[in-house]
Amino acid sequence: MISPAGNFKFYVATKPVDFRKGMDGLAAIVLNEFELDPFSGAIFIFRSKRADRLKLIVWDGTGLVMTYKRIEGKGFEWPRIQDGMITLNKSQFEALFEGLDWKRVTARGVRRPVAV
């Protein structure tokens, strides 16, 4: 797995995008549709119409980097399709990237209430 080192912000576009777009097209979506800076160093994650593909872009300080992943099996666990972006923490991103249910990930030291 690719695990980013550092203190990144993670943004997920909740609507599928045209996967023919390259890094410049995805950066234009970040800038024009979400009014965020694609060169800020944040990681921007995009889904295809198929649940089994993702692309992400990040500015590494010297250039724009794009990663493309197709996962085998049932696909990625995506947020509900709606307009806009959502943010994830690093643990949630790692779970998403591995095809796990990122919604069940909580920060260390935070306990969920137990039903009795």
Side-chain angles (χ1 to χ4, degrees):
M1 165 172 162
I2 297 173
S3 181
N7 195 15
F8 288 97
K9 288 186 179 182
F10 299 90
Y11 295 95
V12 179
T14 57
K15 273 190 174 176
V17 298
D18 180 352
F19 253 42
R20 295 173 292 183
K21 290 189 182 299
M23 63 180 71
D24 294 325
L26 296 174
I29 290 173
V30 171
L31 185 63
N32 298 324
E33 292 184 28
F34 304 120
E35 298 178 352
L36 295 170
D37 181 5
F39 307 107
S40 66
I43 296 176
F44 299 96
I45 304 151
F46 300 90
R47 65 171 292 177
S48 67
K49 289 181 183 176
R50 295 179 175 183
D52 67 339
R53 296 154 202 248
L54 72 69
K55 283 186 179 179
L56 65 86
I57 60 169
V58 61
W59 175 260
D60 73 353
T62 62
L64 201 55
V65 177
M66 183 174 72
T67 301
Y68 177 15
K69 182 172 183 178
R70 183 183 67 214
I71 195 166
E72 300 299 322
K74 67 180 179 85
F76 293 102
E77 291 289 329
W78 291 108
R80 187 172 54 86
I81 295 175
Q82 59 189 19
D83 286 337
M85 291 194 132
I86 65 166
T87 59
L88 301 180
N89 65 38
K90 183 177 178 183
S91 298
Q92 290 171 322
F93 165 74
E94 290 172 347
L96 171 70
F97 199 80
E98 289 298 316
L100 303 173
D101 187 356
W102 58 271
K103 296 175 285 257
R104 299 177 54 114
V105 174
T106 59
R108 283 193 169 170
V110 176
R111 295 183 181 260
R112 290 186 176 185
V114 178
V116 282

